[in-house]
Amino acid sequence: MQQSLESLVRLLESYRGRDKVIRSVCYGSQLVGGILFRKAEADVSFHRLGKSLLLFSAQLSQCRTVLRLFDDLSMLAYSHSYGFGHGEEDSGVRWISVLTNVADQLYYPCEHIAWAADAELIKTKSDKWWLFSTVLWGTSLLLGILRSLRVLLLLRKKLKKCRRDGAQNSLSQLHRQMRVETLSIISSMADLSNAIHWMPPGFFWAGRFPNWLVGLMGTVSSLIGLMQMNVGDGDQSVNT
């Protein structure tokens, strides 16, 4: 119990960890709230609870938007350090990663302008800027899926080579990397489904998701993100 509490405290003390937790609570509240709001219309108390959870989820989403106002420099530093990805072994992975960084970098100012317009800090319509940010987010997710598929293909080739050479020590590491990439694909696909939902009507299933389904997709993605973060922290502690 004490160890779990300490792990949670360490998670909340970091910006990345706190954002993961807020995101999980945000989408989890939307999932439960959407179910209660839809299914418990006959019960006033549950209906009211569902509405409160949906409002709480909206406030947490707004909180994350405000916190992302300060993410531009960290994203720029990461993009600069990655550059054109000369350290990557595969050119396909390298250029997909570069394009992903470009989409992520452009996403932030578009979202900032949309937020500022909604807050009436600047005089412009926010709709087109929210659309730009959603398109860039969806593009980044799609590129992330393509990157993970490419990495999985390369890992499968390495796996076959290790089996032929009898390198048993490398097999477990390759299997672990493949699980990580598979989870990344599932996470990105869940987020991409929500990104399409927030596109203008007429684009695939845009606007057709009920609140509980948006919450479900976001919860799946958020929990996978927390799992991967814990795995990364564990690997880092072993390496140091």
Side-chain angles (χ1 to χ4, degrees):
M1 182 64 181
Q2 181 67 23
Q3 186 176 0
S4 299
L5 182 60
E6 290 177 354
S7 298
L8 179 59
V9 170
R10 285 197 302 269
L11 187 66
L12 292 173
E13 283 179 342
S14 67
Y15 170 75
R16 183 164 168 256
R18 185 178 302 173
D19 180 69
K20 296 287 186 184
V21 173
I22 295 175
R23 190 182 199 271
S24 299
V25 176
C26 173
Y27 280 115
S29 299
Q30 189 172 6
L31 170 60
V32 178
I35 293 174
L36 292 177
F37 190 78
R38 182 180 181 183
K39 298 294 184 182
E41 292 183 359
D43 192 320
V44 177
S45 59
F46 281 107
H47 186 75
R48 188 176 301 164
L49 176 59
K51 184 177 180 179
S52 297
L53 286 172
L54 291 175
L55 291 172
F56 179 60
S57 173
Q59 289 298 314
L60 289 179
S61 178
Q62 182 72 6
C63 170
R64 295 185 66 235
T65 301
V66 173
L67 289 174
R68 282 196 295 270
L69 292 172
F70 307 95
D71 284 351
D72 298 74
L73 289 179
S74 59
M75 184 64 220
L76 183 61
Y78 173 78
S79 300
H80 182 266
S81 64
Y82 187 84
F84 289 101
H86 296 298
E88 297 284 359
E89 298 178 1
D90 181 71
S91 59
V93 172
R94 179 170 67 248
W95 286 110
I96 291 174
S97 299
V98 170
L99 291 175
T100 302
N101 290 341
V102 171
D104 289 341
Q105 192 69 63
L106 293 175
Y107 165 84
Y108 289 107
C110 290
E111 185 188 54
H112 300 341
I113 295 173
W115 169 83
D118 283 344
E120 298 183 356
L121 299 176
I122 57 176
K123 292 183 179 180
T124 184
K125 292 184 177 180
S126 64
D127 295 352
K128 65 178 181 180
W129 293 104
W130 284 122
L131 176 59
F132 290 157
S133 63
T134 303
V135 169
L136 289 167
W137 182 42
T139 301
S140 174
L141 292 168
L142 184 59
L143 288 170
I145 293 171
L146 293 176
R147 183 188 184 281
S148 292
L149 289 172
R150 178 61 179 171
V151 172
L152 278 176
L153 180 62
L154 296 173
L155 289 174
R156 289 188 64 180
K157 291 180 180 180
K158 290 182 179 180
L159 193 63
K160 291 180 181 179
K161 185 176 184 300
C162 288
R163 285 173 177 169
R164 287 197 306 266
D165 299 340
Q168 297 297 325
N169 295 333
S170 302
L171 290 178
S172 60
Q173 182 179 358
L174 290 174
H175 280 299
R176 186 169 63 251
Q177 291 176 342
M178 291 179 72
R179 284 195 297 270
V180 169
E181 295 300 333
T182 301
L183 287 174
S184 294
I185 291 173
I186 297 173
S187 175
S188 295
M189 289 182 68
D191 281 336
L192 183 60
S193 67
N194 278 343
I196 293 174
H197 164 71
W198 286 315
M199 292 292 287
F203 185 79
F204 292 102
W205 55 84
R208 298 181 183 178
F209 278 12
N211 280 315
W212 69 266
L213 186 53
V214 174
L216 176 62
M217 294 294 103
T219 300
V220 169
S221 172
S222 300
L223 292 179
I224 290 176
L226 283 172
M227 289 170 53
Q228 291 178 326
M229 187 175 182
N230 289 334
V231 170
D233 291 343
D235 292 341
Q236 185 177 5
S237 63
V238 171
N239 292 333
T240 55

